[in-house]
Amino acid sequence: MAVVGRYIPSWLAATKTAHRTGVWKGTGGGRVEFDGDGTFTMSGIPRSAIEFSFIDPPPGKGNLSGRGNWNLRGDDGRSGTIELNFAAAGSFSDDSESTILQVEEEGDRPKLYFDTNPDKQYGYTIRRETGEPPRIR
């Protein structure tokens, strides 16, 4: 297992390509699909995976669903962080929320995690579905 800290994997640092697009799944049915046009959809993501910036989180219990835009965070689009900006859809009543994903593992099936707690190394993780290209080096 290769754990990535501040290192920026070449697959993530490149401009938006098929290297990040596709279906990523987590335990309990969580799913995020990244499209090449910079949009995403998600479903089944545990509420604890996303830190909300407003006082009253979305209504309901259990899992969240939503859609919006994704982009690399940082100068010139080169970063080890993916930012998800939510649209007013699914569990989100407006477009004021966002969250970030960090790289946990590289390899044949790379893994990303929702970064919500600075005291915990990894949050809820999602892994690229088998058969999704490419191998991350």
Side-chain angles (χ1 to χ4, degrees):
M1 168 171 58
V3 176
V4 181
R6 291 284 179 209
Y7 166 72
I8 302 170
S10 60
W11 66 276
L12 188 57
T15 57
K16 292 178 184 174
T17 66
H19 296 287
R20 290 177 300 276
T21 60
V23 175
W24 297 67
K25 289 188 176 179
T27 59
R31 182 179 193 279
V32 179
E33 183 170 355
F34 296 102
D35 291 320
D37 64 358
T39 61
F40 75 92
T41 56
M42 70 171 209
S43 61
I45 303 298
R47 293 173 66 79
S48 61
I50 297 174
E51 186 173 279
F52 296 102
S53 63
F54 49 84
I55 296 171
D56 297 320
K61 296 180 181 178
N63 299 326
L64 300 171
S65 65
R67 62 179 172 79
N69 295 309
W70 65 270
N71 57 64
L72 297 180
R73 194 171 185 188
D75 295 336
D76 75 5
R78 299 179 64 81
S79 171
T81 300
I82 298 174
E83 184 173 20
L84 304 181
N85 295 295
F86 297 101
S91 301
F92 301 89
S93 60
D94 63 37
D95 62 359
S96 66
E97 294 302 317
S98 65
T99 193
I100 58 173
L101 292 166
Q102 302 280 6
V103 176
E104 181 177 343
E105 290 180 17
E106 298 179 330
D108 291 329
R109 292 189 57 221
K111 188 187 287 188
L112 302 173
Y113 68 95
F114 285 84
D115 188 2
T116 59
N117 185 345
D119 296 328
K120 184 177 176 185
Q121 188 170 8
Y122 301 119
Y124 181 75
T125 59
I126 55 174
R127 186 181 291 275
R128 185 184 292 277
E129 275 292 275
T130 304
E132 294 286 332
R135 175 171 173 72
I136 297 174
R137 296 181 197 140

